């Protein structure tokens, strides 16, 4: 095998996953990360694969898009999924991780390869790329302006896009009143659940909504076109869509019984563990653009949070992404620079595992190119292949950030008498068959996928 040097810009999930794929193929990797010397509006450390928003990598259920994606990535030797299993904390049917353990595992895994080197520097210019090299840009949605200008030069006929993203607060568990806040997972009556639940009656809910409406918000620049990602809306934006929106969203009380009353509360806030010790919890779905003193005042109104202490307040930041279908080749390289690849959230996917998945594919595509070989991209009937096709081909309407979802998969013929759950299960089963066939094409056998499925079960994925 021809050994090559692959440069990767960005030490987030996509960049680390791409580096792992290249290192495992025997290539050398230079990973450039500007943090901690130059920070972003959302990051707080210089750690590799720092999780800046939620600590959840979403559902592990096999008949769900996030679950399917995890199974596919596991079978393709994903470092992110390996680290997720190692750093997992209880979170019901979701894969949530302890942030520092997750990051440390990824750093140590990459550093175990002698061909890996991290370079703490901001990349402000992309040099000409020789035959024995490749570059992967995985700089994320908070890419520095200097690098954005360089990327814009690679796609002169396409405009850069952006949207606003938000993160939720993290609380100190010991400061929560456990005589009010109760442990339970939805529909689970087998004992202590994985979530803390804050019950609200109708009057408490209405007072909370009024307080959020009246609170001071962080101002955005007047010239900025505010476009939020639909799956990560600030609670203020949800309330603008109707006073009951929170009750049918992050404050949905369905499946929860308040042990103090024996009844379902009018609304409920769920708190998810941030570490294995349970000393930190995050407010599920409570992204906010309130000013920090207002967050302290308003959230302390919630039952059981009168004396709550914050480890991190919520915030809103602008994310950038490229109009990838216009500028990328089918192998995720730029049409104007076929040895420079794009990976991660800047391609127009949204979510931790989605970003890592595109990093995985970009890493495999780059290592194939430096070996003068072809890499077979996964078909559209798989979740990872559907995401890839969205990035390179787009969809109907305007190009916007996309999560993994079953709507990206090819539809099934309607069958009389088949309900939505049955159709969903059948669609997922078909997707697994397509992925198994894809793996057989890659390796001549579907054994790797079967082992990946077994590994998922053993790791609880």
């Amino acid at each position: 095998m021809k050994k090559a040097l692959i440069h990767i810009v960005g030490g987030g999930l996509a960049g680390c996953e791409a580096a792992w794929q290249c290192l495992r193929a025997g290539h050398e990797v230079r990973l450039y990360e500007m943090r901690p010397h130059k920070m972003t509006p959302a990051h707080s450390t210089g750690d590799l694969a720092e999780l800046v928003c939620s600590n959840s990598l979403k559902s592990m259920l096999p008949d769900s898009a996030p679950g399917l994606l995890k199974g596919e990535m596991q079978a393709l030797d994903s470092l992110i999924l390996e680290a997720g299993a190692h750093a997992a904390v209880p979170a019901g049917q979701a894969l949530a991780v302890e942030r520092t353990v997750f990051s440390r595992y990824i750093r140590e895994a990459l550093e175990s390869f002698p061909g890996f080197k991290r370079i703490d520097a901001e990349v402000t210019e992309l040099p000409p790329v020789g035959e024995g090299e490749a570059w992967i840009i995985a700089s994320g949605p908070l890419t520095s302006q200097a690098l954005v200008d360089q990327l814009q030069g690679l796609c002169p006929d396409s405009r850069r896009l952006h949207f606003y993203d938000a993160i939720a607060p993290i609380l100190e568990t010991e400061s929560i009143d456990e005589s009010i806040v109760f442990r339970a997972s939805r529909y689970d009556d087998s004992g202590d659940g994985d979530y803390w639940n804050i019950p609200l009656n109708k009057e408490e809910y209405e007072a909370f909504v009024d307080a959020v409406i009246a609170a001071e918000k962080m101002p955005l620049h007047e010239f900025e076109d505010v476009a939020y990602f639909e799956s990560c809306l600030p609670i203020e934006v949800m309330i603008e869509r109707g006073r009951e929106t929170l009750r049918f969203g992050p404050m949905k009380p369905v499946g929860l019984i308040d042990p103090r009353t024996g009844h379902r509360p009018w609304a409920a806030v769920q708190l998810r563990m941030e570490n294995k010790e349970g000393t930190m919890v995050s407010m599920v779905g409570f992204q906010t653009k309130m000013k920090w003193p207002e967050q302290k005042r308003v959230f302390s109104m919630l039952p059981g949070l009168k004396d709550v202490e914050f480890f991190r307040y919520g915030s809103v930041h602008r994310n950038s992404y490229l109009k990838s279908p216009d500028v990328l080749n089918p192998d995720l390289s730029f049409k104007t620079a076929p040895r420079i690849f794009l990976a991660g959230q800047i391609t127009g996917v949204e979510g931790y595992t989605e970003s890592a998945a595109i990093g995985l594919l970009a890493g495999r595509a780059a290592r194939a190119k430096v070996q003068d070989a072809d890499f077979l991209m996964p078909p559209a009937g798989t979740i990872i292949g559907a995401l890839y096709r969205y990035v390179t081909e787009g969809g109907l309407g305007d190009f916007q950030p996309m999560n993994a979802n079953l709507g990206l998969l090819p539809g099934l013929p309607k069958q009389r008498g088949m309900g939505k759950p049955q159709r969903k299960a059948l669609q997922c089963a078909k997707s697994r068959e397509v992925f198994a066939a894809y793996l057989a094409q890659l390796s001549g056998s579907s054994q790797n996928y079967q082992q990946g499925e077994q590994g998922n079960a053993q790791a609880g994925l």
Side-chain angles (χ1 to χ4, degrees):
M1 184 201 76
K2 183 167 61 174
K3 191 174 184 179
L5 175 60
I6 299 175
H7 304 267
I8 299 177
V9 182
L13 274 68
C16 290
E17 185 67 73
W20 174 256
Q21 298 298 326
C22 295
L23 290 166
R24 285 173 61 85
H27 300 298
E28 293 188 359
V29 168
R30 300 293 179 265
L31 179 64
Y32 302 84
E33 174 53 61
M34 68 180 187
R35 296 177 293 110
H37 303 297
K38 182 175 181 178
M39 299 299 289
T40 75
H43 290 84
S44 58
T45 75
D47 295 345
L48 295 180
E50 179 187 345
L51 302 181
V52 299
C53 296
S54 167
N55 70 323
S56 173
L57 276 66
K58 300 182 184 175
S59 175
M60 299 184 295
L61 293 174
D63 284 350
S64 69
L68 282 176
L69 183 59
K70 289 179 179 64
E72 294 169 358
M73 292 174 65
Q74 181 87 3
L76 292 171
D77 302 317
S78 166
L79 172 61
I80 298 306
L81 266 293
E82 185 178 308
H86 174 79
V89 297
Q93 296 297 334
L95 174 59
V97 302
E98 186 171 347
R99 298 169 194 259
T100 55
V101 176
F102 177 78
S103 177
R104 183 171 62 247
Y105 186 93
I106 290 171
R107 173 180 58 80
E108 292 176 351
L110 295 177
E111 290 177 347
S112 68
F113 288 88
F116 174 78
K117 182 178 181 181
R118 171 176 171 167
I119 299 173
D120 293 328
E122 178 188 1
V123 174
T124 60
E125 186 175 354
L126 297 175
V129 185
E131 286 297 315
E133 296 183 338
W135 283 72
I136 301 174
I137 310 301
S139 48
L142 298 173
T143 298
S144 68
Q145 187 59 51
L147 184 54
V148 164
D149 293 340
Q150 288 285 302
L151 295 176
Q152 195 68 47
L154 297 178
C155 42
D157 296 328
S158 178
R159 64 188 180 94
R160 176 172 58 98
L161 307 174
H162 71 268
F163 66 99
Y164 279 88
D165 200 0
I167 60 179
I170 296 178
L171 315 177
E172 180 187 47
T173 308
E174 286 189 357
S175 65
I176 296 171
D177 186 349
E178 294 190 41
S179 68
I180 299 174
V181 179
F182 62 95
R183 294 284 297 273
S185 297
R186 285 193 174 97
Y187 309 111
D188 183 5
D189 59 0
S190 59
D192 287 346
D194 293 336
Y195 291 82
W196 282 260
N197 299 274
I198 302 173
L200 288 83
N201 59 34
K202 184 176 182 180
E203 292 73 21
E204 290 166 335
Y205 175 80
E206 294 294 339
F208 175 73
V209 170
D210 288 337
V212 173
I213 292 173
E216 287 189 84
K217 317 299 191 301
M218 289 296 295
L220 300 174
H221 295 296
E222 293 182 0
F223 61 83
E224 292 181 333
D225 179 22
V226 179
Y228 293 102
F229 183 58
E230 285 294 320
S231 295
C232 197
L233 293 174
I235 57 172
E236 300 85 5
V237 176
M238 286 188 267
I239 290 174
E240 290 173 1
R241 298 180 177 184
R243 293 183 63 91
E244 296 291 290
T245 304
L246 291 179
R247 288 188 62 236
F248 293 92
M251 296 182 73
K252 180 174 63 177
V254 175
L256 298 173
I257 299 297
D258 185 350
R260 296 179 305 162
T261 64
H263 300 289
R264 186 176 77 180
W266 181 258
V269 178
Q270 288 204 301
L271 310 175
R272 180 176 53 230
M273 289 175 59
E274 280 281 331
N275 59 353
K276 292 180 180 178
E277 293 78 15
T279 58
M280 299 187 294
V281 289
S282 56
M283 303 181 73
V284 179
F286 263 61
Q287 301 79 222
T288 179
K289 57 180 181 177
M290 287 187 287
K291 291 184 176 180
W292 288 3
E294 294 289 77
Q295 291 183 44
K296 173 68 174 176
R297 179 182 66 84
V298 173
F299 291 141
S300 295
M301 293 174 55
L302 293 170
L305 299 191
K306 178 182 177 182
D307 300 313
V308 71
E309 296 294 331
F310 289 76
F311 284 124
R312 183 190 72 187
Y313 287 100
S315 66
V316 174
H317 52 274
R318 195 172 88 163
N319 288 350
S320 295
Y321 62 101
L322 297 180
K323 197 172 183 181
S324 296
D326 288 355
V327 302
L328 296 185
N329 290 314
D331 65 353
L332 296 171
S333 66
F334 282 92
K335 293 178 180 178
T336 57
R339 284 187 171 268
I340 301 179
F341 296 78
L342 198 65
Q345 199 166 333
I346 197 171
T347 65
V349 295
E350 171 63 16
Y352 292 142
T353 48
E354 290 90 338
S355 298
I358 301 301
L360 186 155
L361 295 180
R364 289 190 167 219
R367 79 188 195 191
K369 180 159 287 186
V370 296
Q371 294 171 200
D372 297 322
D374 294 323
F375 170 57
L376 179 66
M377 287 290 184
T382 65
I383 285 292
I384 193 170
L387 276 174
Y388 153 75
R389 188 173 70 168
Y390 180 78
V391 164
T392 54
E393 300 179 13
L396 298 176
D398 294 334
F399 184 71
Q400 299 180 16
M402 182 66 68
N403 281 120
N405 64 83
L406 297 182
L408 292 172
L409 295 175
L412 295 176
K414 291 186 178 181
Q415 298 183 33
R416 181 173 297 179
M418 180 180 290
K420 185 175 180 180
Q422 290 78 21
R423 284 181 57 80
K424 181 178 176 181
L426 182 60
Q427 191 176 28
C428 291
K430 178 62 177 177
S431 181
R432 282 188 284 269
E433 290 179 10
V434 174
F435 188 76
Y438 167 67
L439 276 189
Q441 286 182 282
L442 288 184
S443 62
S445 169
S446 62
Q447 181 179 3
N448 287 346
Y449 184 61
Q450 294 167 356
Q451 291 174 345
E453 289 283 277
Q454 294 170 0
N456 281 348
Q458 294 169 0
L461 297 178

